[in-house]
C-alpha cells in the first residue's frame, strides 16, 4: 500500500507520519501531501515522498494521488474548507482510491454548530462519492488549550462561556495513532467513530490541571457568550471571527464535546493521554 497523508506538514499530519513509521510502514510507502513542499524538507530527509497537495487546486490533487492506495484527509482550516474537502473527495473518487480516512468533528449529525457544518457536508460528500471510508470524529485536542493555560500563568484565570459543560479531549498523538490504524488495517472500514479521551472534564477541572502544571492557582471564570464575543473584539478580532469563536463555546455548552465511550483507547490499544500529562507535554514543563 502507498499511503498519502494530507496536511502532512501540520501538527497532526507529522504525528500521523510518526505513527505510521512506528507501525512498521516503510518511509517509501508514505506520501506527504502538503500545500508548500518547500516547507517539508524534514519529511523529505526521512525518505518520504513529498507532493504538492493543495485542497483549493484540483490539479495538484490529481497529480499527488498518482500511485496512492489510501488517503488520510485531514480537515483544512480555510474559510471555505468544505469546498476544498469536496475537491479532495472527487479527486480520490476519480483516482480509484481504495480507502479514504477523514478527520471530522464530534456529534456533527446531532448538534448544529458552525464548525460542525463543514464537517457534516464533507461526510455527506464522501458518502455520495461511494468511497470506502472511515470517518474519525475527533473530539478536542488537549493542545487546543495550551494558549489559554499559558495566559493563565500571568492572569490566573481561564475565561470561557461553556458553563459546566464537559469535554473529552485527548492529545494529538492519540488521534494520530488512531488515524494510522485506520489507514493501515481494515478494522475500521465503513465506520464512523466518535473519538475522545477516556475521561471527560469540566473547565473547573481544566483550571485545576493548569494550576498543577503551572505551579500556581488558576480559576475558571465563566462568562456569557455576549461577554466573550465582546472581549474577543476588544482583543482585536473582527466581529465575525469573534462570533465564530464564541459559537464554539456555545456548542461546547450544548454538549458537543461531552461524550466518550473509550472507543479511541480501544482503537489505539492503550489509555488516552490524561489532561495534565497532555498539557505538561504541550507546554514543555
Amino acid at each position: 500500500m502507498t499511503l498519502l497523508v494530507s496536511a502532512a506538514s501540520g501538527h497532526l499530519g507529522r504525528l500521523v507520519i510518526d505513527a505510521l513509521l512506528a507501525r512498521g510502514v516503510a518511509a517509501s510507502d508514505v506520501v506527504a501531501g502538503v500545500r508548500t513542499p518547500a516547507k517539508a524538507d524534514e519529511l523529505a530527509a526521512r525518505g518520504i515522498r513529498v507532493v504538492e497537495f493543495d485542497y483549493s487546486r484540483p490539479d495538484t490533487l490529481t497529480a499527488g494521488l498518482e500511485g496512492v492506495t489510501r488517503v488520510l484527509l485531514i480537515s483544512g482550516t480555510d474559510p471555505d474548507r468544505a469546498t476544498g474537502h469536496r475537491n479532495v473527495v472527487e479527486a480520490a473518487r476519480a483516482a480509484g482510491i481504495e480507502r479514504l480516512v477523514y478527520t471530522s468533528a464530534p456529534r456533527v449529525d446531532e448538534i448544529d454548530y458552525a464548525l460542525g457544518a463543514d464537517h457534516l457536508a464533507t461526510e455527506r460528500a464522501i458518502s455520495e462519492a461511494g468511497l470506502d471510508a472511515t470517518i474519525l470524529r475527533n473530539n478536542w485536542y488537549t493542545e487546543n488549550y495550551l494558549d489559554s493555560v499559558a495566559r493563565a500563568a500571568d492572569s490566573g484565570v481561564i475565561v470561557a462561556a461553556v458553563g459546566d459543560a464537559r469535554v473529552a479531549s485527548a492529545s494529538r498523538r492519540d488521534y494520530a495513532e488512531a488515524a494510522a490504524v485506520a489507514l493501515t488495517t481494515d478494522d475500521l472500514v465503513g465506520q464512523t467513530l466518535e473519538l475522545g479521551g477516556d475521561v471527560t472534564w469540566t473547565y473547573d477541572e481544566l483550571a485545576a490541571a493548569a494550576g498543577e502544571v503551572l505551579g500556581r492557582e488558576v480559576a475558571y471564570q465563566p462568562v456569557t457568550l455576549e461577554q466573550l464575543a465582546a472581549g474577543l473584539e476588544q482583543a482585536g478580532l473582527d466581529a465575525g471571527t469573534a462570533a465564530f469563536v464564541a459559537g464554539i463555546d456555545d456548542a461546547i455548552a450544548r454538549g458537543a464535546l461531552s461524550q466518550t465511550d473509550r472507543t479511541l483507547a480501544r482503537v489505539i490499544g492503550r489509555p488516552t493521554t490524561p489532561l495534565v500529562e497532555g498539557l505538561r507535554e504541550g507546554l514543555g514543563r
Side-chain angles (χ1 to χ4, degrees):
M1 293 185 297
T2 300
L3 312 173
L4 184 141
V5 177
S6 70
S9 58
H11 294 300
L12 181 61
R14 288 179 181 272
L15 289 172
V16 172
I17 288 176
D18 289 343
L20 289 171
L21 298 179
R23 291 180 64 84
V25 177
S28 58
D29 291 332
V30 178
V31 179
V34 299
R35 177 174 287 176
T36 309
K39 295 182 179 179
D41 289 345
E42 179 268 335
L43 294 173
R46 299 169 73 181
I48 294 165
R49 179 160 65 96
V50 176
V51 299
E52 186 176 11
F53 203 78
D54 186 335
Y55 299 171
S56 65
R57 294 176 54 210
D59 58 316
T60 69
L61 307 177
T62 300
L65 289 174
E66 290 183 6
V68 170
T69 312
R70 299 182 179 186
V71 174
L72 172 64
L73 171 54
I74 293 178
S75 56
T77 57
D78 289 344
D80 189 16
R81 82 180 83 198
T83 296
H85 293 171
R86 283 193 292 269
N87 289 340
V88 177
V89 170
E90 174 55 27
R93 185 202 61 75
I97 294 301
E98 172 189 295
R99 176 81 43 76
L100 180 72
V101 179
Y102 174 59
T103 61
S104 189
R107 306 186 69 186
V108 294
D109 57 349
E110 300 177 64
I111 297 178
D112 182 22
Y113 58 107
L115 182 63
D118 287 345
H119 292 287
L120 183 58
T122 303
E123 290 187 15
R124 287 173 174 166
I126 292 169
S127 176
E128 290 166 1
L131 294 169
D132 281 343
T134 301
I135 307 299
L136 305 177
R137 289 180 175 171
N138 293 346
N139 204 294
W140 249 217
Y141 304 138
T142 296
E143 290 86 349
N144 290 356
Y145 294 94
L146 295 181
D147 286 346
S148 295
V149 173
R151 288 194 296 270
D154 294 324
S155 67
V157 297
I158 292 176
V159 179
V162 300
D164 59 358
R166 304 192 74 87
V167 175
S169 75
S171 291
R172 278 197 187 96
R173 177 166 53 89
D174 301 336
Y175 295 112
E177 289 182 20
V181 171
L183 277 173
T184 56
T185 75
D186 295 328
D187 298 344
L188 307 178
V189 64
Q191 297 186 41
T192 297
L193 305 174
E194 296 279 353
L195 301 181
D198 293 343
V199 178
T200 63
W201 45 262
T202 65
Y203 272 58
D204 283 322
E205 291 168 321
L206 171 63
E212 182 176 340
V213 171
L214 297 171
R216 62 155 297 168
E217 185 174 344
V218 177
Y220 163 46
Q221 180 180 325
V223 296
T224 66
L225 289 171
E226 293 75 18
Q227 289 171 329
L228 178 62
L232 292 169
E233 288 188 52
Q234 290 174 3
L237 295 184
D238 62 81
T241 303
F244 179 82
V245 174
I248 293 174
D249 272 27
D250 177 54
I252 294 172
R254 289 185 288 119
L257 308 181
S258 65
Q259 293 186 352
T260 182
D261 60 4
R262 302 198 174 187
T263 295
L264 177 55
R266 289 193 292 273
V267 169
I268 64 178
R270 62 169 177 81
T272 59
T273 306
L275 177 61
V276 169
E277 183 180 330
L279 294 175
R280 199 183 302 280
E281 289 179 359
L283 293 171
R285 290 177 175 260

